[in-house]
């Protein structure tokens, strides 16, 4: 319930300093480069509420690009992409229970940030749900880890068109 005013940059050097501070903060934590793609502007203006929202939406955007399923989102997209029987992306050989659990864990991790961040921000106002700087960094770290998993993901022979639940 607080209004926070961020000091406007008065000149290009100040804007560059703020940008370098962002990059230094995220790079020191080895954040995936996809983080910068989706929420750099929100982070720069210290809008952590929308920064987290955009970062999570970026995960879904990347999954849609990797699978060419452009008309689905959220849990519906994840159910198709991470299907037990006909997954569209895999992160390992799925040859034993440990690998199957890891595969399931990635889906559950994405679902967790979906419910904790994307869903919450979509359905509530910022007024009662301000997100603090360090909480934002924690969410970005989780989203970053998801992107690192997606870097390793391989497409399967199944496609979105032949998927049947």
């Amino acid at each position: 319930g607080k209004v926070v005013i961020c000091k406007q940059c008065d000149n290009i050097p100040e804007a560059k300093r703020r940008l370098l501070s962002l990059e230094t903060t995220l790079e020191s934590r080895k954040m995936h480069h996809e983080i910068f793609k989706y929420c750099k502007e929100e982070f720069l203006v210290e809008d952590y509420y929308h920064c987290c929202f955009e970062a999570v939406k970026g995960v879904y955007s990347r999954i849609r690009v990797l699978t060419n399923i452009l008309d689905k989102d959220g849990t519906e997209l994840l159910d198709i992409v991470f299907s037990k029987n006909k997954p569209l992306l895999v992160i390992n050989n799925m040859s034993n229970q440990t690998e199957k659990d890891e595969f399931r864990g990635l889906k559950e991790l994405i679902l967790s940030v979906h419910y904790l961040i994307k869903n919450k921000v979509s359905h509530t106002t910022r007024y009662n749900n301000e997100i603090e700087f360090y909480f934002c960094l924690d969410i970005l770290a989780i989203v970053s880890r998801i992107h690192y998993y997606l870097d390793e993901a391989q497409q399967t022979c199944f496609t979105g068109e032949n998927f049947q639940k």
Side-chain angles (χ1 to χ4, degrees):
K2 296 183 252 175
V3 175
V4 178
I5 298 174
C6 171
K7 183 180 180 286
Q8 179 178 341
C9 293
D10 296 324
N11 53 50
I12 292 175
E14 173 62 21
K16 284 183 179 178
R17 185 202 58 74
R18 194 179 284 181
L19 177 61
L20 289 174
S21 173
L22 162 71
E23 291 176 348
T24 301
T25 299
L26 298 182
E27 286 174 357
S28 71
R29 291 172 170 246
K30 298 192 182 335
M31 296 286 186
H32 195 279
H33 66 275
E34 289 284 325
I35 298 291
F36 294 98
K37 184 173 160 181
Y38 294 107
C39 60
K40 181 189 282 187
E41 290 178 33
E42 292 77 12
F43 198 97
L44 280 173
V45 296
E46 300 172 355
D47 182 357
Y48 306 126
Y49 180 86
H50 286 106
C51 181
C52 290
F53 186 50
E54 292 301 316
V56 175
K57 288 191 320 185
V59 169
Y60 287 97
S61 178
R62 187 156 182 223
I63 290 170
R64 282 192 293 276
V65 168
L66 289 171
T67 61
N68 201 31
I69 297 179
L70 305 177
D71 63 339
K72 305 288 185 217
D73 191 30
T75 57
E76 184 180 12
L77 176 65
L78 295 181
D79 286 344
I80 294 169
V81 172
F82 294 98
S83 163
K84 266 183 166 179
N85 299 325
K86 294 183 179 182
L88 304 185
L89 293 176
V90 293
I91 58 170
N92 56 43
N93 293 327
M94 307 254 298
S95 60
N96 59 45
Q97 192 59 48
T98 299
E99 290 181 347
K100 290 175 184 176
D101 289 345
E102 182 183 33
F103 172 78
R104 181 175 175 219
L106 176 57
K107 178 184 178 185
E108 297 294 330
L109 183 61
I110 298 168
L111 280 170
S112 294
V113 294
H114 172 89
Y115 290 121
L116 289 168
I117 301 300
K118 186 176 182 274
N119 227 27
K120 181 179 180 181
V121 173
S122 295
H123 300 288
T124 61
T125 64
R126 177 190 304 184
Y127 180 75
N128 293 321
N129 293 297
E130 192 61 40
I131 292 178
E132 300 296 326
F133 174 75
Y134 288 105
F135 181 83
C136 178
L137 287 180
D138 291 342
I139 296 302
L140 294 181
I142 294 167
V143 170
S144 176
R145 180 54 44 207
I146 292 168
H147 282 297
Y148 280 116
Y149 274 110
L150 292 175
D151 285 348
E152 302 301 316
Q154 300 291 316
Q155 290 182 304
T156 65
C157 61
F158 304 113
T159 66
E161 293 78 44
N162 67 16
F163 174 79
Q164 297 174 12
K165 265 190 173 175

